[in-house]
């Protein structure tokens, strides 16, 4: 299927709002959304006013299940809730009771932008390098290893003299992605690590001996190079993951009650006794590891530039948003048992993500600078 044109997408969006979309046309919209097209549609409907348009959109996106407070929106509805409406988008965000002055105040407010490639590298000698302010190319040489910054937010560790490396003492580097940041590292063994916001990875400049061990605080996705003679180990809090070569995600933020390890490919062992198969997740809490089937797409969405909130608890959703946008979010305890379904690109401004949440109808959101409050 060829990618639909912008004009075709506008027509399909109009038909979706009118309720005349066929299953085949809905499939086209779903596939377009799965391609993560970030440019909004400009819908050209014939509502008499922005308020009429806003009311009609909200009526379309509110979907509640019958027996509880769990709210679900399918992927196209969640996109439509934050999609569109170019010049009229702000009116979808505003409560119906807002007056014109308040609308103008929101329009003029400075948007809160998403996170970017930002990180600080600490070398073995204690020197700190702000990577987002450093030019691409070689930035340091340590223990026979050249450290290279790439233009796309990454570091590569490259051996200069492998013979020299075997005789050097252990040197450790630490890379930290702050709130509102992310980074990638290709380690000396060619293992690839993606760091999420508010995450820290400590690792040797050169792997030697019988193991390859790194320390993680926060969240990271690993693609580990196979080496049967030297297992790769990830230490987080009281958990130790051992692998030979595999792809997996580790969520080990200090503020979260449990460490979640999700296996995508290969095999891992948690604390030398809990074995995971692809598609499984270990939830390690208070010394006990529970193995469940994972929603791999949701657990790795951050790496692929998306938020996916299908079935996550409200606290997890709030934490994910606050870390990526570097904002302080408080919420009414009455929202704690609310579960929201939806997905949206992490490249959107914060207001777009909050529109999706408020579009469920059970959340009222107030923005004051970088402080966000949510009430029922």
């Amino acid at each position: 299927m060829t990618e639909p044109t912008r004009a075709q997408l506008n027509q399909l969006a109009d038909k979706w709002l009118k309720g005349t979309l066929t299953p085949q046309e809905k499939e086209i919209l779903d596939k377009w959304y799965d391609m993560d097209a970030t440019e909004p549609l400009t819908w050209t409907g014939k509502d008499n006013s922005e308020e009429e348009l806003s009311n009609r959109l909200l009526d379309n996106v509110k979907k509640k299940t019958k027996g509880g407070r769990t709210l679900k929106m399918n992927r196209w509805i969640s996109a439509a809730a934050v999609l569109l409406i170019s010049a009229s988008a702000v009116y979808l965000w505003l409560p119906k009771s807002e007056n014109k002055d308040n609308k103008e105040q929101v329009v003029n407010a400075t948007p809160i932008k998403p996170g970017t490639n930002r990180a600080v590298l600490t070398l073995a000698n204690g020197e700190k390098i702000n990577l987002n302010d450093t030019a691409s190319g070689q930035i340091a040489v340590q223990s026979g290893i050249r450290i290279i910054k790439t233009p796309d937010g990454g570091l590569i560790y490259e051996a200069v003299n492998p013979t020299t490396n075997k005789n050097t003492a252990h040197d450790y580097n630490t890379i930290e992605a702050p709130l509102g940041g992310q980074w990638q590292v290709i380690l000396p063994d060619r293992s690839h690590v993606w760091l999420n916001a508010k995450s820290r990875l400590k690792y040797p400049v050169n792997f030697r001996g019988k193991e390859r061990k790194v320390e993680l605080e926060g969240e990271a996705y690993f693609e580990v190079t196979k080496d049967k003679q030297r297992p790769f180990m990830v230490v987080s809090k009281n958990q130790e993951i051992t692998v030979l070569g595999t792809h997996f995600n580790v969520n080990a933020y200090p503020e979260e009650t449990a460490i979640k390890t999700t296996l995508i490919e290969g095999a891992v062992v948690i604390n030398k006794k809990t074995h995971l198969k692809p598609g499984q997740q270990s939830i390690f809490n208070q010394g006990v590891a529970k193995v469940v089937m994972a929603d791999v797409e949701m657990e790795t969405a951050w790496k692929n530039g998306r938020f996916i909130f299908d079935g996550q608890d409200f606290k997890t959703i709030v934490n994910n948003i606050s870390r990526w946008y570097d904002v302080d979010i408080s919420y009414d305890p009455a929202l704690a048992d609310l579960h929201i379904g939806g997905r949206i690109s992490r490249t959107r401004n914060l207001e777009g993500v909050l529109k999706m949440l408020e579009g469920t109808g059970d959340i009222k959101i107030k923005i004051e600078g970088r402080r966000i409050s949510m009430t029922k």
Side-chain angles (χ1 to χ4, degrees), residues 124-140:
N125 62 6
E127 179 186 356
K128 293 183 180 293
I129 301 175
N130 192 331
L131 293 173
N132 42 301
D133 292 337
T134 302
S136 299
Q138 180 175 305
I139 60 176

Side-chain angles (χ1 to χ4, degrees), residues 47 49-59 88 91-94 96:
D47 292 277
S49 67
E50 290 87 353
E51 183 178 3
E52 182 179 334
L53 171 60
S54 172
N55 292 343
R56 188 153 64 88
L57 282 169
L58 287 173
D59 287 341
S88 300
Y91 296 99
L92 174 60
W93 165 242
L94 292 169
K96 299 175 188 177

